[in-house]
Amino acid sequence: MTIEEPKAPRIEDDALIIETQSTTEVYDAKYLVSALLVFVAKGDGKISSEETAEMLNLLSDHFDLQSSQSLELLTRAMTDIAENPDFESLLNELAVLLSEIEKEDVCLMMLKVVAADGRREVDELEKFQRAASIIGIPAETLHRAYDRYFAETMS
């Protein structure tokens, strides 16, 4: 079996393109958000049914998708995370697709996934912090996301 070297990733429109000699993978912001949510949800080693439901709702609402499309995105992200040992590098590459406002929205979504099952596991919170770091969310953006989360959940 020949190991194919990827070409340098490139951005076209709202997508990251990664090519090898035989394949081309296209990743967009919807995929990135899905992957980040899965990454955080898997922080404690498993994804609960409540976390899955929350991720489906968040993706459907945020991107105006049907549930089947959201499920497809989550399934692809789960498969990629399981099969790709260098998955964090891919997330880092994809971070350029998100504006600061989108990063804040993603941060809020990740917080909702962490809280979805009613347990705030240390491992999930660490994955949340790791995901925020990977995509370059500045401290002030994190604080705004926390403020929005608490405003929504405390009212």
Side-chain angles (χ1 to χ4, degrees):
M1 182 168 113
T2 304
I3 296 176
E4 296 185 24
E5 288 297 317
K7 298 176 185 175
R10 68 183 191 281
I11 302 290
E12 286 183 11
D13 299 318
D14 287 338
L16 174 72
I17 313 295
I18 298 177
E19 292 180 293
T20 64
Q21 287 82 2
S22 64
T23 63
T24 300
E25 293 287 335
V26 179
Y27 300 97
D28 64 6
K30 292 175 194 154
Y31 173 81
L32 170 61
V33 172
S34 303
L36 287 167
L37 296 179
V38 169
F39 184 77
V40 170
K42 270 188 76 113
D44 63 356
K46 60 191 177 315
I47 299 175
S48 70
S49 58
E50 296 91 352
E51 289 167 332
T52 301
E54 183 69 16
M55 289 187 292
L56 287 170
N57 288 334
L58 290 167
L59 290 171
S60 294
D61 290 347
H62 187 75
F63 293 112
D64 195 28
L65 300 173
Q66 294 183 358
S67 293
S68 60
Q69 293 170 301
S70 297
L71 180 60
E72 187 178 309
L73 283 168
L74 289 174
T75 302
R76 180 179 174 207
M78 286 179 203
T79 301
D80 287 352
I81 288 172
E83 293 177 353
N84 188 345
D86 196 27
F87 192 73
E88 289 184 28
S89 292
L90 174 62
L91 291 177
N92 195 339
E93 295 277 351
L94 286 167
V96 301
L97 298 176
L98 297 176
S99 69
E100 283 307 308
I101 293 169
E102 291 168 322
K103 287 180 181 183
E104 183 179 326
D105 290 343
V106 169
C107 199
L108 177 62
M109 287 189 274
M110 291 188 305
L111 286 168
K112 289 179 178 181
V113 169
V114 168
D117 60 6
R119 298 183 308 269
R120 285 163 190 85
E121 303 284 339
V122 172
D123 292 339
E124 280 183 339
L125 290 170
E126 287 175 357
K127 280 288 191 174
F128 166 80
Q129 290 293 337
R130 181 76 190 121
S133 174
I134 289 169
I135 64 169
I137 296 177
E140 61 273 4
T141 303
L142 272 174
H143 290 297
R144 284 194 308 272
Y146 275 112
D147 290 345
R148 285 175 58 194
Y149 174 78
F150 289 120
E152 286 182 23
T153 57
M154 297 300 182
S155 57

